[in-house]
Amino acid sequence: MKTHLPLLLATLLLAGCAAAPEQPTTLRQALFGLGERAAERLTATPPLPSPAVDQVLLLARPEVDPRLGLGDERLLESLTRALLAVSDGPQVLEWRDAMAEGGGDNQWRLDSRLEADGPPLQLSDRELLPYRLSLELRRAGSDAPEWRNEISGALDATAL
């Protein structure tokens, strides 16, 4: 039996490596689609020029409704990753208070707010959290938004 033990362990190890990986249900995947939709709408709509490669997009820390059970840094990461993945997209930086004093004609500030858009929806196998993501794009240093958009949907609570 001792001579077969290493062979049995090696076989189990290889079988484990060869199996299909489980679908990850992390927060990153739950917010990935939301970030992509926001990036598509933002880069496909004026006032940002197309292509936006010479533009600088300053992302303000998002406001996130605590009823959704996720932090603002997670939404910021999702938006940042999605915007950086856009081909011919803008340069993306995190906005700081020190940047409030205007900027060049190529600098834009994106404000975002993720709110619960109703009570949780109970399904037989999971719970969905309805949301509304509000986006506002303004020139750096300006208080008046030049573009607004809203995205509605539902997040799978089990992935959060």
Side-chain angles (χ1 to χ4, degrees):
M1 181 68 174
K2 287 184 180 179
T3 59
H4 297 296
L5 187 58
L7 181 60
L8 178 63
L9 289 174
T11 303
L12 288 174
L13 179 64
L14 289 175
C17 293
E22 288 184 36
Q23 285 287 41
T25 56
T26 64
L27 182 58
R28 183 174 289 169
Q29 281 78 24
L31 293 175
F32 180 73
L34 178 58
E36 279 188 326
R37 288 176 55 201
E40 286 172 8
R41 288 201 187 171
L42 180 65
T43 57
T45 309
L48 276 181
S50 183
V53 292
D54 293 331
Q55 303 301 303
V56 177
L57 191 58
L58 307 168
L59 295 182
R61 184 155 300 277
E63 297 175 34
V64 178
D65 190 330
R67 294 179 292 171
L68 292 171
L70 47 116
D72 55 356
E73 62 279 341
R74 299 293 182 136
L75 179 59
L76 181 63
E77 176 189 5
S78 178
L79 289 172
T80 302
R81 287 178 180 274
L83 287 163
L84 288 172
V86 173
S87 67
D88 294 333
Q91 299 172 42
V92 180
L93 300 172
E94 187 174 339
W95 183 80
R96 304 273 186 218
D97 288 335
M99 299 174 176
E101 291 300 319
D105 287 342
N106 68 334
Q107 291 186 355
W108 301 84
R109 183 174 129 197
L110 179 66
D111 294 311
S112 56
R113 185 175 55 254
L114 184 62
E115 300 173 293
D117 196 24
L121 304 171
Q122 289 293 110
L123 302 179
S124 61
D125 61 340
R126 65 181 176 252
E127 181 180 61
L128 297 178
L129 304 171
Y131 67 81
R132 181 177 53 247
L133 175 64
S134 302
L135 303 167
E136 289 187 345
L137 186 66
R138 63 190 87 234
R139 292 278 183 190
S142 173
D143 289 333
E146 295 197 24
W147 176 84
R148 288 187 176 127
N149 203 299
E150 288 188 349
I151 299 172
S152 295
L155 296 170
D156 184 348
T158 59
L160 300 177

